[in-house]
Amino acid sequence: MPNATWQHLRCALGGDLGPLCRPLDRARSRALLLLVLGLLAALLLGALPAVRGVLAADARAADRTARLHRIAAVVTGSVRPDATSPGHRFKGGDGVVVTWDYPAGYAVTARIDLPQAALQGGTVPVWVTDDGALADPPPSRLSLALLAVGTGTGLWLLTSAAVLAAYGLRRQVIERRGGQRWASGWAAVEPHWSGRLDGHPDSTSP
């Protein structure tokens, strides 16, 4: 295998001009070399954002958390028209109306799906922005790192697929060209080989 790899490399770079490295063979070797380089580039293209994202996950999670505030919101009732009795216990996932005061003196009412079971009149944690608007919880370092790895992997797969498709098309062109050259050469040689032009028809002919 190492010898074959070295021969392909020499042939692709024009360093081998022997009978086993015809122009068609050189085209095949160059296509194979470009395939290897393309797959390496695809791997690098996917690895760079993945590594950068994983390394930056801590800072990004901390930055997002610093711009949000976790406060206690009061459960005031159900989102359904039929009001529940005071002290009713809601299950996690139930849609309820909650209120909170943030910033100080600024009352906000919103509808949320409970992250956990809670009593009407009790409190549940919510995340809000600096102006008191409801926000999604900040992402964890792990989720950001997994997102970066997933993005890098997807980019690598897409780029690799494009490289393989380009290689397949190039090989088709090369093999088609090789077939045409073989047919042309055989058309020139066959009459002499069979003896038809020399007055000696092929003995296998009836």
Side-chain angles (χ1 to χ4, degrees), residues 2-175:
N3 288 338
T5 302
W6 176 244
Q7 289 172 359
H8 274 298
L9 183 60
R10 286 189 61 194
C11 189
L13 299 178
D16 185 355
L17 301 179
L20 296 180
C21 188
R22 301 163 299 173
L24 193 63
D25 299 317
R26 188 172 297 112
R28 291 192 183 102
S29 294
R30 286 175 177 171
L32 186 60
L33 177 61
L34 290 176
L35 170 66
V36 173
L37 293 177
L39 291 177
L40 289 175
L43 180 60
L44 184 62
L45 191 63
L48 284 177
V51 172
R52 286 172 53 188
V54 169
L55 294 178
D58 276 336
R60 290 180 59 194
D63 177 68
R64 179 63 175 165
T65 301
R67 290 185 285 115
L68 296 177
H69 309 277
R70 191 171 188 265
I71 61 174
V74 179
V75 180
T76 59
S78 171
V79 298
R80 299 188 301 273
D82 53 323
T84 53
S85 59
H88 176 80
R89 186 174 184 83
F90 297 100
K91 304 185 300 294
D94 281 349
V96 297
V97 177
V98 295
T99 62
W100 63 86
D101 291 326
Y102 192 92
Y106 180 66
V108 181
T109 299
R111 297 180 176 186
I112 67 168
D113 290 331
L114 283 177
Q116 60 197 42
L119 291 172
Q120 182 172 352
T123 61
V124 291
V126 296
W127 289 90
V128 298
T129 60
D130 289 337
D131 58 2
L134 188 66
D136 292 327
S140 66
R141 176 190 179 281
L142 178 60
S143 64
L144 290 175
L146 291 177
L147 178 62
V149 172
T151 300
T153 301
L155 187 58
W156 166 60
L157 291 175
L158 287 175
T159 309
S160 296
V163 170
L164 289 170
Y167 173 74
L169 291 175
R170 178 58 180 163
R171 280 302 300 261
Q172 286 182 4
V173 172
I174 293 173
E175 298 307 324

